[in-house]
Amino acid sequence: MSLSKPVGADDQVLLSFRGPDTRQGFTDCLYHFLVDAGIRVFRDNEEIRPGEKIQEILRAMNNSIICLPIFSRDYASSKWCLRELAEMAERKKKIMPIFYGVTPDDVKVRTCLYHDALTRHEKEKDKEQWENALKEAVQSTNLKSSKDPTEVVKIKG
């Protein structure tokens, strides 16, 4: 797959993740690995001011070729993560999910993990859109679910 820069693009890859789950470990390592490989990567910077954050992330999403949501145990408990994912789906971005401590079945809301998280968002008008975006992100990979999450993606250290 070629990651040549489209006209006006700043980043080739956008990382979407729940900060407390993976920022200081997996996401940081993935970010540096991609950058060291010469890939331009956007990740949410904790230093972005709240008013600028949404515009900065939407700009990066718009200009990225690939979006990598890192689905972790508490990803679906974050309204912001779900909004980002729904925005990716709405913009028809190429989504390549990473399953970190979860299975495709969790993300497709087939287990209690993401189902319970979405239930806590019951009053949100976008809840159905968020659930559809979760399912769509997994379906775009054509992955078969497995009891053993290491069968989906094996990461060597």
Side-chain angles (χ1 to χ4, degrees), residues 14-16 26 30 66-72 75 85 88 93-100 102-104 107-108 114 133-143 152-153 155:
L14 173 113
L15 296 178
S16 173
F26 180 79
L30 178 61
I66 298 171
C67 295
L68 295 177
I70 302 170
F71 294 121
S72 56
Y75 185 94
L85 185 66
M88 289 174 210
K93 300 304 289 184
K94 173 70 176 165
I95 299 173
M96 298 178 70
I98 295 172
F99 303 91
Y100 184 83
V102 298
T103 67
V107 178
K108 287 193 277 188
Y114 276 35
L134 286 165
K135 292 175 182 177
E136 187 179 314
V138 176
Q139 285 181 303
S140 70
T141 65
N142 294 319
L143 290 173
V152 177
V153 175
I155 300 170

Short mmCIF file of all heavy atoms in Angstrom, two decimals, residues 14-16 26 30 66-72 75 85 88 93-100 102-104 107-108 114 133-143 152-153 155:
data_model
loop_
_atom_site.label_atom_id
_atom_site.label_comp_id
_atom_site.label_asym_id
_atom_site.label_seq_id
_atom_site.Cartn_x
_atom_site.Cartn_y
_atom_site.Cartn_z
N LEU A 14 -3.77 8.94 11.22
CA LEU A 14 -4.33 9.55 12.43
C LEU A 14 -4.52 8.45 13.46
O LEU A 14 -5.14 7.42 13.15
CB LEU A 14 -5.68 10.20 12.13
CG LEU A 14 -6.40 10.70 13.38
CD1 LEU A 14 -6.50 12.21 13.37
CD2 LEU A 14 -7.79 10.10 13.48
N LEU A 15 -3.97 8.62 14.65
CA LEU A 15 -4.18 7.67 15.74
C LEU A 15 -5.34 8.16 16.60
O LEU A 15 -5.34 9.31 17.05
CB LEU A 15 -2.92 7.56 16.61
CG LEU A 15 -1.67 7.01 15.95
CD1 LEU A 15 -0.51 7.00 16.93
CD2 LEU A 15 -1.91 5.62 15.39
N SER A 16 -6.31 7.30 16.82
CA SER A 16 -7.45 7.61 17.69
C SER A 16 -7.41 6.62 18.85
O SER A 16 -7.42 5.40 18.62
CB SER A 16 -8.76 7.46 16.92
OG SER A 16 -9.86 7.60 17.78
N PHE A 26 1.36 1.64 24.70
CA PHE A 26 1.22 1.15 23.34
C PHE A 26 1.17 2.27 22.30
O PHE A 26 1.89 2.23 21.31
CB PHE A 26 -0.03 0.26 23.22
CG PHE A 26 -0.23 -0.26 21.84
CD1 PHE A 26 0.50 -1.34 21.40
CD2 PHE A 26 -1.12 0.34 20.97
CE1 PHE A 26 0.35 -1.82 20.10
CE2 PHE A 26 -1.28 -0.12 19.68
CZ PHE A 26 -0.55 -1.21 19.24
N LEU A 30 3.78 2.89 19.27
CA LEU A 30 3.32 2.82 17.89
C LEU A 30 3.61 4.13 17.15
O LEU A 30 4.11 4.12 16.02
CB LEU A 30 1.82 2.52 17.84
CG LEU A 30 1.18 2.48 16.44
CD1 LEU A 30 1.82 1.39 15.58
CD2 LEU A 30 -0.33 2.28 16.57
N ILE A 66 -5.13 7.27 6.37
CA ILE A 66 -5.60 6.14 7.17
C ILE A 66 -5.86 6.59 8.60
O ILE A 66 -5.09 7.36 9.16
CB ILE A 66 -4.54 5.01 7.19
CG1 ILE A 66 -4.31 4.49 5.77
CG2 ILE A 66 -4.94 3.88 8.12
CD1 ILE A 66 -3.14 3.53 5.66
N CYS A 67 -6.94 6.07 9.17
CA CYS A 67 -7.24 6.31 10.58
C CYS A 67 -7.06 4.99 11.32
O CYS A 67 -7.60 3.95 10.90
CB CYS A 67 -8.67 6.81 10.75
SG CYS A 67 -8.95 8.43 10.01
N LEU A 68 -6.30 5.04 12.41
CA LEU A 68 -6.06 3.85 13.23
C LEU A 68 -6.71 4.03 14.60
O LEU A 68 -6.08 4.57 15.52
CB LEU A 68 -4.55 3.63 13.43
CG LEU A 68 -3.69 3.29 12.23
CD1 LEU A 68 -2.23 3.19 12.64
CD2 LEU A 68 -4.15 2.01 11.58
N PRO A 69 -7.95 3.60 14.76
CA PRO A 69 -8.52 3.61 16.11
C PRO A 69 -7.92 2.46 16.91
O PRO A 69 -7.83 1.33 16.41
CB PRO A 69 -10.02 3.42 15.88
CG PRO A 69 -10.12 2.72 14.57
CD PRO A 69 -8.91 3.13 13.77
N ILE A 70 -7.47 2.75 18.10
CA ILE A 70 -6.91 1.73 18.99
C ILE A 70 -7.99 1.40 20.00
O ILE A 70 -8.21 2.12 20.97
CB ILE A 70 -5.61 2.22 19.67
CG1 ILE A 70 -4.59 2.60 18.60
CG2 ILE A 70 -5.07 1.14 20.61
CD1 ILE A 70 -3.38 3.33 19.14
N PHE A 71 -8.71 0.30 19.72
CA PHE A 71 -9.82 -0.10 20.59
C PHE A 71 -9.26 -0.76 21.83
O PHE A 71 -8.62 -1.80 21.76
CB PHE A 71 -10.77 -1.05 19.86
CG PHE A 71 -11.49 -0.41 18.71
CD1 PHE A 71 -11.36 -0.91 17.43
CD2 PHE A 71 -12.32 0.68 18.92
CE1 PHE A 71 -12.04 -0.32 16.37
CE2 PHE A 71 -13.00 1.27 17.86
CZ PHE A 71 -12.86 0.77 16.58
N SER A 72 -9.51 -0.16 22.97
CA SER A 72 -9.05 -0.66 24.26
C SER A 72 -10.27 -0.92 25.14
O SER A 72 -11.41 -0.65 24.74
CB SER A 72 -8.12 0.37 24.92
OG SER A 72 -8.79 1.62 25.04
N TYR A 75 -12.37 2.28 25.61
CA TYR A 75 -12.55 3.15 24.44
C TYR A 75 -14.01 3.60 24.32
O TYR A 75 -14.29 4.78 24.13
CB TYR A 75 -12.10 2.40 23.18
CG TYR A 75 -12.13 3.22 21.90
CD1 TYR A 75 -10.99 3.89 21.47
CD2 TYR A 75 -13.28 3.32 21.12
CE1 TYR A 75 -10.99 4.63 20.29
CE2 TYR A 75 -13.29 4.06 19.95
CZ TYR A 75 -12.15 4.71 19.54
OH TYR A 75 -12.17 5.44 18.38
N LEU A 85 -14.67 8.31 16.05
CA LEU A 85 -14.90 7.14 15.21
C LEU A 85 -16.09 7.36 14.27
O LEU A 85 -16.02 7.02 13.08
CB LEU A 85 -15.13 5.90 16.08
CG LEU A 85 -15.26 4.60 15.32
CD1 LEU A 85 -13.96 4.24 14.62
CD2 LEU A 85 -15.69 3.48 16.27
N MET A 88 -15.02 9.51 11.47
CA MET A 88 -14.24 8.75 10.48
C MET A 88 -15.17 8.00 9.53
O MET A 88 -14.97 8.02 8.31
CB MET A 88 -13.34 7.72 11.18
CG MET A 88 -12.19 8.25 11.94
SD MET A 88 -11.40 6.86 12.81
CE MET A 88 -10.77 7.72 14.24
N LYS A 93 -13.47 7.47 5.75
CA LYS A 93 -12.02 7.32 5.85
C LYS A 93 -11.65 5.83 5.83
O LYS A 93 -12.46 4.97 6.19
CB LYS A 93 -11.50 7.94 7.14
CG LYS A 93 -11.76 9.43 7.28
CD LYS A 93 -11.24 10.26 6.15
CE LYS A 93 -9.75 10.37 6.12
NZ LYS A 93 -9.24 11.28 5.06
N LYS A 94 -10.43 5.53 5.41
CA LYS A 94 -9.90 4.17 5.49
C LYS A 94 -9.59 3.92 6.96
O LYS A 94 -8.75 4.60 7.55
CB LYS A 94 -8.63 4.05 4.64
CG LYS A 94 -7.91 2.73 4.78
CD LYS A 94 -8.70 1.61 4.17
CE LYS A 94 -7.88 0.32 4.27
NZ LYS A 94 -8.68 -0.85 4.03
N ILE A 95 -10.31 2.97 7.56
CA ILE A 95 -10.15 2.67 8.99
C ILE A 95 -9.47 1.31 9.13
O ILE A 95 -9.94 0.32 8.58
CB ILE A 95 -11.51 2.67 9.71
CG1 ILE A 95 -12.16 4.05 9.60
CG2 ILE A 95 -11.34 2.25 11.17
CD1 ILE A 95 -13.58 4.12 10.12
N MET A 96 -8.37 1.31 9.86
CA MET A 96 -7.63 0.08 10.15
C MET A 96 -7.54 -0.06 11.67
O MET A 96 -6.63 0.49 12.29
CB MET A 96 -6.25 0.12 9.50
CG MET A 96 -6.31 0.21 7.98
SD MET A 96 -4.69 0.32 7.22
CE MET A 96 -4.08 -1.33 7.52
N PRO A 97 -8.49 -0.78 12.27
CA PRO A 97 -8.53 -0.86 13.74
C PRO A 97 -7.43 -1.72 14.34
O PRO A 97 -6.95 -2.67 13.72
CB PRO A 97 -9.91 -1.45 14.02
CG PRO A 97 -10.22 -2.25 12.81
CD PRO A 97 -9.57 -1.53 11.65
N ILE A 98 -7.06 -1.35 15.55
CA ILE A 98 -6.14 -2.13 16.36
C ILE A 98 -6.91 -2.54 17.60
O ILE A 98 -7.57 -1.71 18.24
CB ILE A 98 -4.89 -1.30 16.74
CG1 ILE A 98 -4.11 -0.96 15.47
CG2 ILE A 98 -4.03 -2.06 17.75
CD1 ILE A 98 -2.96 0.01 15.70
N PHE A 99 -6.85 -3.81 17.95
CA PHE A 99 -7.57 -4.33 19.12
C PHE A 99 -6.56 -4.54 20.24
O PHE A 99 -5.73 -5.44 20.19
CB PHE A 99 -8.28 -5.64 18.76
CG PHE A 99 -9.22 -5.47 17.60
CD1 PHE A 99 -8.80 -5.69 16.30
CD2 PHE A 99 -10.52 -5.05 17.81
CE1 PHE A 99 -9.65 -5.51 15.23
CE2 PHE A 99 -11.39 -4.86 16.76
CZ PHE A 99 -10.95 -5.09 15.46
N TYR A 100 -6.63 -3.68 21.25
CA TYR A 100 -5.69 -3.70 22.37
C TYR A 100 -6.42 -4.18 23.62
O TYR A 100 -7.15 -3.42 24.25
CB TYR A 100 -5.11 -2.29 22.59
CG TYR A 100 -4.06 -2.23 23.67
CD1 TYR A 100 -2.74 -2.56 23.39
CD2 TYR A 100 -4.39 -1.85 24.96
CE1 TYR A 100 -1.78 -2.50 24.38
CE2 TYR A 100 -3.44 -1.80 25.95
CZ TYR A 100 -2.13 -2.13 25.66
OH TYR A 100 -1.17 -2.08 26.65
N VAL A 102 -8.90 -6.17 23.67
CA VAL A 102 -10.30 -6.44 23.34
C VAL A 102 -10.34 -7.29 22.08
O VAL A 102 -9.35 -7.39 21.35
CB VAL A 102 -11.14 -5.16 23.13
CG1 VAL A 102 -11.18 -4.31 24.39
CG2 VAL A 102 -10.60 -4.34 21.96
N THR A 103 -11.49 -7.88 21.80
CA THR A 103 -11.67 -8.69 20.60
C THR A 103 -12.60 -7.96 19.64
O THR A 103 -13.33 -7.05 20.04
CB THR A 103 -12.29 -10.05 20.94
OG1 THR A 103 -13.63 -9.84 21.40
CG2 THR A 103 -11.46 -10.80 22.00
N PRO A 104 -12.62 -8.39 18.38
CA PRO A 104 -13.60 -7.81 17.45
C PRO A 104 -15.04 -7.96 17.97
O PRO A 104 -15.85 -7.05 17.77
CB PRO A 104 -13.37 -8.61 16.17
CG PRO A 104 -11.91 -8.97 16.22
CD PRO A 104 -11.67 -9.26 17.68
N VAL A 107 -15.88 -5.10 20.28
CA VAL A 107 -16.07 -3.84 19.57
C VAL A 107 -17.38 -3.85 18.78
O VAL A 107 -18.04 -2.82 18.64
CB VAL A 107 -14.87 -3.53 18.66
CG1 VAL A 107 -15.08 -2.24 17.89
CG2 VAL A 107 -13.59 -3.43 19.50
N LYS A 108 -17.78 -5.02 18.29
CA LYS A 108 -19.05 -5.13 17.57
C LYS A 108 -20.26 -5.17 18.52
O LYS A 108 -21.36 -5.43 18.10
CB LYS A 108 -19.05 -6.37 16.67
CG LYS A 108 -18.16 -6.21 15.46
CD LYS A 108 -18.40 -7.30 14.43
CE LYS A 108 -17.65 -8.55 14.77
NZ LYS A 108 -17.71 -9.57 13.70
N TYR A 114 -18.35 -3.56 25.62
CA TYR A 114 -18.75 -2.33 24.93
C TYR A 114 -20.25 -2.09 25.03
O TYR A 114 -20.70 -0.94 25.02
CB TYR A 114 -18.31 -2.38 23.46
CG TYR A 114 -16.87 -1.94 23.23
CD1 TYR A 114 -15.86 -2.21 24.15
CD2 TYR A 114 -16.52 -1.24 22.10
CE1 TYR A 114 -14.56 -1.81 23.93
CE2 TYR A 114 -15.22 -0.83 21.87
CZ TYR A 114 -14.24 -1.13 22.80
OH TYR A 114 -12.94 -0.71 22.58
N ALA A 133 -20.90 2.86 13.99
CA ALA A 133 -19.51 3.14 13.62
C ALA A 133 -18.57 2.07 14.18
O ALA A 133 -17.63 1.65 13.50
CB ALA A 133 -19.09 4.53 14.10
N LEU A 134 -18.82 1.62 15.41
CA LEU A 134 -18.02 0.55 16.00
C LEU A 134 -18.11 -0.72 15.14
O LEU A 134 -17.09 -1.32 14.78
CB LEU A 134 -18.48 0.25 17.43
CG LEU A 134 -18.11 1.27 18.49
CD1 LEU A 134 -18.93 1.05 19.75
CD2 LEU A 134 -16.62 1.21 18.80
N LYS A 135 -19.33 -1.09 14.81
CA LYS A 135 -19.54 -2.31 14.03
C LYS A 135 -18.92 -2.18 12.63
O LYS A 135 -18.30 -3.11 12.13
CB LYS A 135 -21.03 -2.62 13.93
CG LYS A 135 -21.63 -3.02 15.27
CD LYS A 135 -23.14 -3.19 15.19
CE LYS A 135 -23.72 -3.55 16.54
NZ LYS A 135 -25.18 -3.65 16.50
N GLU A 136 -19.09 -1.02 12.02
CA GLU A 136 -18.56 -0.78 10.68
C GLU A 136 -17.03 -0.84 10.67
O GLU A 136 -16.43 -1.36 9.72
CB GLU A 136 -19.04 0.59 10.20
CG GLU A 136 -18.70 0.91 8.77
CD GLU A 136 -19.24 2.27 8.36
OE1 GLU A 136 -20.41 2.57 8.65
OE2 GLU A 136 -18.48 3.03 7.74
N ALA A 137 -16.41 -0.32 11.71
CA ALA A 137 -14.94 -0.32 11.78
C ALA A 137 -14.40 -1.75 11.79
O ALA A 137 -13.38 -2.04 11.16
CB ALA A 137 -14.46 0.43 13.02
N VAL A 138 -15.07 -2.64 12.49
CA VAL A 138 -14.62 -4.02 12.55
C VAL A 138 -14.93 -4.73 11.23
O VAL A 138 -14.10 -5.47 10.70
CB VAL A 138 -15.27 -4.78 13.72
CG1 VAL A 138 -14.87 -6.25 13.71
CG2 VAL A 138 -14.87 -4.15 15.04
N GLN A 139 -16.11 -4.49 10.68
CA GLN A 139 -16.49 -5.14 9.42
C GLN A 139 -15.57 -4.76 8.28
O GLN A 139 -15.33 -5.56 7.38
CB GLN A 139 -17.93 -4.82 9.07
CG GLN A 139 -18.92 -5.59 9.92
CD GLN A 139 -20.35 -5.28 9.56
OE1 GLN A 139 -20.75 -4.12 9.60
NE2 GLN A 139 -21.10 -6.30 9.22
N SER A 140 -15.03 -3.57 8.31
CA SER A 140 -14.15 -3.12 7.23
C SER A 140 -12.86 -3.93 7.17
O SER A 140 -12.16 -3.91 6.17
CB SER A 140 -13.84 -1.63 7.38
OG SER A 140 -13.00 -1.41 8.49
N THR A 141 -12.55 -4.66 8.23
CA THR A 141 -11.31 -5.43 8.28
C THR A 141 -11.48 -6.85 7.79
O THR A 141 -10.51 -7.54 7.54
CB THR A 141 -10.77 -5.51 9.73
OG1 THR A 141 -11.71 -6.24 10.52
CG2 THR A 141 -10.53 -4.15 10.31
N ASN A 142 -12.73 -7.32 7.72
CA ASN A 142 -13.03 -8.71 7.35
C ASN A 142 -12.38 -9.71 8.31
O ASN A 142 -12.03 -10.80 7.91
CB ASN A 142 -12.59 -9.02 5.91
CG ASN A 142 -13.39 -8.24 4.91
OD1 ASN A 142 -14.60 -8.07 5.06
ND2 ASN A 142 -12.73 -7.74 3.89
N LEU A 143 -12.21 -9.31 9.57
CA LEU A 143 -11.63 -10.20 10.55
C LEU A 143 -12.67 -11.18 11.07
O LEU A 143 -13.83 -10.83 11.25
CB LEU A 143 -11.09 -9.41 11.75
CG LEU A 143 -9.86 -8.57 11.51
CD1 LEU A 143 -9.56 -7.72 12.73
CD2 LEU A 143 -8.67 -9.45 11.19
N VAL A 152 -5.79 -12.36 16.38
CA VAL A 152 -6.18 -11.27 15.50
C VAL A 152 -4.94 -10.51 15.05
O VAL A 152 -4.70 -10.34 13.88
CB VAL A 152 -7.19 -10.34 16.20
CG1 VAL A 152 -7.55 -9.16 15.30
CG2 VAL A 152 -8.45 -11.11 16.57
N VAL A 153 -4.16 -10.03 15.99
CA VAL A 153 -2.94 -9.29 15.67
C VAL A 153 -1.88 -9.70 16.67
O VAL A 153 -2.09 -9.64 17.88
CB VAL A 153 -3.16 -7.76 15.79
CG1 VAL A 153 -1.86 -7.01 15.57
CG2 VAL A 153 -4.21 -7.29 14.81
N ILE A 155 1.75 -8.79 18.02
CA ILE A 155 2.73 -7.71 18.03
C ILE A 155 4.00 -8.24 18.70
O ILE A 155 3.96 -8.70 19.84
CB ILE A 155 2.21 -6.47 18.77
CG1 ILE A 155 0.95 -5.98 18.08
CG2 ILE A 155 3.29 -5.40 18.84
CD1 ILE A 155 0.22 -4.93 18.84
#
